Amino acid sequence: MDRSPASLPHPVTSTASAGLVVNAGPTLPPLAFFKLAAFDMDSTLIGIECIDEIATLAGKGQEVAAITEAAMRGEISDFKDSLRRRLALLAGTPASVLDRVLAERLTFNPGARELCAAMKAAGLKLVLVSGGFTFFTRYVAAELGMDFVRSNELEIVDSVLTGRLVMQDWGDICDGEQKRLMLRDCCARIGCSTEQAMAVGDGANDLPMMGAAGLSVAYHAKPRVREQAMVAINEGGLDRLLEVVRP
């Protein structure tokens, strides 16, 4: 990652306690030190990978899940390519499947609501930046009080998924680089430095934004992400971050 915890206002040490690993000092700055927090969605704020759930209901679960897992582990380095390959498998799927995933399968991860509420109370702006889809990010953002959102828009024609994405003003695929740019842009918009931002994620495509943030947090993450994060929550809920970054 391109940022060291040495830039934070404390010495660098490593501690570990009951599934909570801190590689950025014995005491981190209080929550109020930070002005912005950027979150991944799938498997971070929510307990599913939406594209895998769509694929399962479409009868393409195994093929899509295999590509998703390889991409999250970093074995497929080009996220855009992996996403296009997965979406192509979903061409022809009725758009009503999205409603079923939202109603039947989407659940928030433990502590997500509590952590976001604590951050909002401390005055932080919240960013949802996802390689997933706007159909789901709109719901999650509304539930958690997100201030900024960026994600991919599924193309739907005649109530059927085409297997493609809609071009937006920033591009068509929100990959790791777009996540990094979104974090930086949101910091600029609210007038804070990236040192005052934290980034929370679980997969390889979250590493660019985690590297750009003053504090990086891995949540039940892939090994490569856990190793590079300043804080790794390996057991328990997202609100365990409040044990080391106190309100």
Side-chain angles (χ1 to χ4, degrees):
M1 299 173 73
D2 62 5
R3 188 173 300 279
S4 165
S7 59
L8 291 171
H10 48 69
V12 178
T13 63
S14 177
T15 62
S17 173
L20 183 65
V21 180
V22 181
N23 293 309
T27 56
L28 293 171
L31 195 56
F33 168 82
F34 298 96
K35 303 302 179 187
L36 181 142
F39 290 89
D40 171 53
M41 182 178 72
D42 294 57
S43 296
T44 300
L45 287 172
I46 63 175
I48 62 171
E49 291 286 331
C50 290
I51 193 169
D52 291 352
E53 300 298 332
I54 296 168
T56 296
L57 294 177
K60 300 286 186 178
Q62 290 186 341
E63 299 99 309
V64 169
I67 299 172
T68 299
E69 185 65 17
M72 295 299 286
R73 289 195 303 264
E75 295 171 5
I76 301 177
S77 58
D78 188 339
F79 176 81
K80 291 184 177 182
D81 176 60
S82 74
L83 183 57
R84 290 189 178 105
R85 286 164 56 185
R86 286 175 283 170
L87 286 171
L89 291 169
L90 300 179
T93 300
S96 59
V97 166
L98 304 179
D99 296 292
R100 287 188 59 194
V101 172
L102 181 59
E104 300 171 13
R105 305 198 175 199
L106 190 151
T107 58
F108 286 92
N109 273 329
R113 292 182 185 275
E114 292 81 357
L115 177 59
C116 289
M119 289 179 166
K120 296 287 284 187
L124 279 73
K125 297 295 185 182
L126 303 186
V127 181
L128 177 55
V129 57
S130 172
F133 309 118
T134 57
F135 184 89
F136 303 104
T137 58
R138 280 194 292 265
Y139 171 78
V140 171
E143 287 289 307
L144 298 180
M146 296 288 167
D147 298 285
F148 306 102
V149 184
R150 178 169 294 180
S151 58
N152 304 314
E153 179 77 38
L154 289 165
E155 184 180 68
I156 299 172
V157 176
D158 296 329
S159 300
V160 170
L161 303 185
T162 67
R164 297 184 296 271
L165 296 171
V166 175
M167 181 65 69
Q168 301 182 66
D169 56 3
W170 49 264
D172 62 338
I173 295 181
C174 185
D175 60 357
E177 176 61 11
Q178 277 296 330
K179 290 187 175 191
R180 185 186 71 84
L181 291 174
M182 182 64 168
L183 181 141
R184 292 173 60 91
D185 290 349
C186 289
C187 285
R189 287 178 67 175
I190 69 171
C192 76
S193 72
T194 55
E195 298 294 336
Q196 295 171 293
M198 63 177 75
V200 186
D202 74 297
N205 69 328
D206 297 315
L207 287 171
M209 74 169 178
M210 291 170 70
L215 180 65
S216 56
V217 182
Y219 179 70
H220 291 224
K222 304 304 179 186
R224 179 180 167 198
V225 182
R226 289 199 306 267
E227 292 165 3
Q228 297 188 51
M230 298 175 193
V231 176
I233 302 170
N234 301 325
E235 298 177 17
L238 277 161
D239 55 340
R240 292 206 67 191
L241 181 60
L242 300 175
E243 296 176 27
V244 291
V245 182
R246 298 186 182 277

